[in-house]
Structure formats: C-alpha cells, structure tokens
Amino acid sequence: MNCPCCASAEILLRSAKRLSCACAACGHQWQSHPTAAPIDYRQLSGRNIPDAAAHQAKLDDRITDIAPLLFPNLQVLEIGCAEGSLAACVMARGAMHYSGIELSGDALAAEKILHRVIREPATKLHGEVFDLLLSFHVLEHINDITAEVSAWRSLLGDAGVLLVEVPNQAGHPLLSDDPNVEHLHQFTTSSLSALLDRAGFAIERMTCGHFESAVYSDSLRVIARPCLPPESKRTALVARFRQALNRPFAIWGIGGDYHSYVAPWISEMPPSALIDSNAARHGEEIGGNLVESYDPYQHKDLLILVASLRYSSDIARDAKSCGIAAESLVYLADIYGLPRHKRSAENAP
Ligand SMILES: [Zn+2]
C-alpha cells in the first residue's frame, strides 16, 4: 500500500484509530477500507446553514480569494456547491456561467441559483473544460482522492485555476484526530501539496487559518494552476504580451528586469525601439536595435513597455515628462500579474 498523496510506501497501520493509515513521509491520514456503509449523500440536505453571521463571514473570506480570479464570461465549476450560497455571492460579481456538482438533496435548492447543477461526481464528467474550479470541504469526504484530483486536472484548461480548501489536519493544528465519520482523509500541508503536484498542478499559494465552522476552525486553502511544460509556458507568456502590446511598441528600461522578464520572449515580438533614461547605455546593441533616448518624432505613435519592476515609477515619470500619455504606457508588472512597486527615496541608490 502506498500513500494516496505522496506515494510513499512507509505507512503506519493503526488499528485503534478511525483513520487507520498514516503516511510517515507526508503525515496524511486516511481510512484505507471504510468499514461503515458508504454515506449516501443523496439522502442528506440542509446541513450548511448554521449561524448566519458566521456563514456570511466565511463566504466573505472565500470571496476575497475568488474575486481576483474572475474575468468576464468565465466557466466556473464548484465541486460540492451545497445549496448554492457561495455560488450566489460569486455570480453577483459579473457575467459568468456557473455549474455545480452536488450529490446531496441540496442540489434542489442549488438549482434555483446556479445555471446548472450536476448530480454526478467529477470523475463522471468527460470532455468539458472550465476556467475556474472551486471546492470547499469536499475532498476529505471522497475515498479515491487520486482519481478525483486527476479528474479536476482534466476538467481545467491550461490557463485555468483551481481553488481547493480542506480542514487543516483535524481542523486545528493542536488536535490530532478528526472524529467526523464522513471524513475519509485528513490532510497536512505536505500531503495536499504532494497530491496536487502528482496530479499535474503547480501550487501558486497555500494559506491556512481559514474558518469553516467551530468544528473546523483552521482550514488549508490552495490556489493552483496546471503545471505547464516550458514551451506551453512560453506560449502563454507571449499571448499575454500580444494582448497588452497590440500595436507597434518601444521598450523603455534595458536593465536586469529586461533580461529576466523581456529577453525570454522578445524574439517573438520584435520592438520598434529600445529606450533607456541612462545615457551611458545609448548605442548598445541588443537584438539588432540600438539603445537610444526617447525621440518624440520617431516614437510618438508607439506604445511604451515599461520594462522594469524596480524602476517603473521612475520610467513612468521620465516618459510623462517627455509628453507621453499615461494610456500609452504598458507595465511589465501588470502583464506578469505583480504589484507595481513604488521605489521609496530611502531605497534609491
Ligand atoms: Zn504521504
């Protein structure tokens, strides 16, 4: 027997424990052969409306991480949408198509809110592709988590995102055993990472401390994206730049960030000019272009790629002082999805 998360064969068998297997490598605990009859979720409903204020606080915490992942008309699939209260909050934030999987009787309530409610597990869905997969406190109920997470990967496009949350260990790091008979798995940060990694996901962010209920006061939340081979990463990167630089452009800023973030794709999209504020660089040749100063006669119709993370506010100031409109500036940080740093006077060399 191997660990369903990390595949280690070093398994501790604990006959006295409800979760009878523990992985010595990643700390995952699970029930290898559920003894009780499998729970028939179709017979259950209405189990998710406890304290209204706590419920809303939980939804607000989830929306904080979901909102930045939304874009117009995306296809969302929520695995375990319950009665649809999260769906209602997400759907209020813009145009999208929202599907949910719900095996319990809550599906009837969800059908009044979601565009579509599917009453079969994700492993039965084939040939569909979604942009965003959401799953809160569902994975720990599923016996074959390897098959489940593999199905999630096949339901996501290469540019898609997964947001999954499970109890952090037993629901609080100081508690060892989760007594909930519906929970067939107890995750650690290591086991959840290993499971997602082996299914072809790259973790973008993992956070803990998310409040699900008084019983599970600490939950692990992961945002992950499909792990792409190098050529697909480059294609995705070039697509972002093509979208942002949709007419002839100049690159302003030929320093370290240019070499890290621009040089890897620039052969696909040759610039019309290379500009730098530092006169010492003028005349340097890079990729067939000479670095020069801004020339309003030659460069006035070009978009300007601000090609520095560290000095973007300095470049923007210099560009604006040359009469370049703010709408003509495209920032490297925006294309890579990074915050724009303002360089403070104290940090200036
Ligand atoms: Zn393991």
Side-chain angles (χ1 to χ4, degrees):
M1 181 170 48
N2 295 83
C3 171
C5 295
C6 75
S8 167
E10 209 180 328
I11 307 302
L12 310 171
L13 296 173
R14 314 169 311 160
S15 54
K17 298 273 191 181
R18 188 182 68 79
L19 297 174
S20 52
C21 303
C23 173
C26 74
H28 193 68
Q29 295 181 40
W30 73 102
Q31 210 172 351
S32 62
H33 300 292
T35 45
I39 290 155
D40 186 356
Y41 287 97
R42 288 170 300 180
Q43 307 301 323
L44 303 172
S45 66
R47 304 185 303 149
N48 298 299
I49 319 285
D51 166 352
H55 189 66
Q56 190 56 49
K58 174 171 83 176
L59 295 178
D60 291 346
D61 174 53
R62 293 177 181 180
I63 292 291
T64 304
D65 279 338
I66 295 170
L69 305 174
L70 302 178
F71 57 85
N73 303 317
L74 83 167
Q75 296 276 338
V76 183
L77 175 65
E78 184 183 354
I79 296 138
C81 63
E83 71 296 319
S85 57
L86 177 67
C89 295
V90 177
M91 291 168 74
R93 303 188 78 90
M96 64 188 72
H97 190 275
Y98 202 110
S99 302
I101 289 179
E102 184 52 51
L103 305 185
S104 82
D106 289 338
L108 294 175
E111 280 167 356
K112 298 190 174 79
I113 296 170
L114 280 70
H115 297 112
R116 174 188 175 206
V117 178
I118 302 155
R119 303 195 70 170
E120 289 203 294
T123 47
K124 295 270 174 69
L125 277 184
H126 300 289
E128 299 199 42
V129 176
F130 298 88
D131 303 304
L132 174 62
L133 252 59
L134 303 172
S135 183
F136 290 89
H137 293 265
V138 169
L139 196 56
E140 66 275 16
H141 294 253
I142 293 173
N143 185 33
D144 190 347
I145 51 176
T146 311
E148 179 70 15
V149 173
S150 296
W152 294 0
R153 173 63 191 90
S154 67
L155 290 169
L156 261 191
D158 281 352
V161 188
L162 165 69
L163 197 163
V164 54
E165 186 178 302
V166 295
N168 186 3
Q169 301 171 64
H172 189 284
L174 292 177
L175 303 176
S176 312
D177 299 304
D178 179 353
N180 187 339
V181 294
E182 292 183 17
H183 288 186
L184 308 178
H185 294 269
Q186 186 172 308
F187 291 91
T188 65
T189 52
S190 303
S191 74
L192 186 57
S193 318
L195 177 70
L196 293 170
D197 183 58
R198 290 176 60 238
F201 284 101
I203 292 179
E204 191 166 284
R205 184 148 57 90
M206 178 182 275
T207 47
C208 57
H210 299 285
F211 185 89
E212 205 278 332
S213 65
V215 182
Y216 299 105
S217 56
D218 188 330
S219 301
L220 290 176
R221 183 179 296 170
V222 168
I223 295 176
R225 294 179 191 266
C227 192
L228 302 178
E231 195 43 51
S232 301
K233 284 185 185 178
R234 184 182 158 88
T235 303
L237 188 60
V238 170
R240 283 197 191 191
F241 277 92
R242 280 198 202 289
Q243 191 176 23
L245 298 169
N246 55 5
R247 60 184 167 90
F249 65 97
I251 295 175
W252 191 321
I254 317 296
D257 296 338
Y258 170 91
H259 292 287
S260 300
Y261 295 99
V262 176
W265 54 266
I266 198 63
S267 62
E268 306 258 354
M269 294 175 62
S272 300
L274 297 179
I275 298 167
D276 202 280
S277 307
N278 181 359
R281 307 209 68 144
H282 297 164
E284 195 176 318
E285 193 203 319
I286 298 176
N289 283 90
L290 293 179
V291 180
E292 58 191 319
S293 60
Y294 181 76
D295 176 349
Y297 295 102
Q298 288 186 64
H299 303 146
K300 67 176 171 19
D301 294 327
L302 300 174
L303 283 174
I304 303 290
L305 173 64
V306 178
S308 175
L309 299 179
R310 284 167 282 191
Y311 303 116
S312 64
S313 54
D314 300 26
I315 292 174
R317 182 201 59 216
D318 292 350
K320 283 170 189 166
S321 74
C322 293
I324 298 171
E327 306 82 69
S328 296
L329 299 178
V330 176
Y331 291 83
L332 197 58
D334 292 352
I335 298 175
Y336 276 94
L338 299 167
R340 281 194 217 163
H341 288 292
K342 270 205 165 21
R343 194 160 63 100
S344 67
E346 308 85 75
N347 293 337

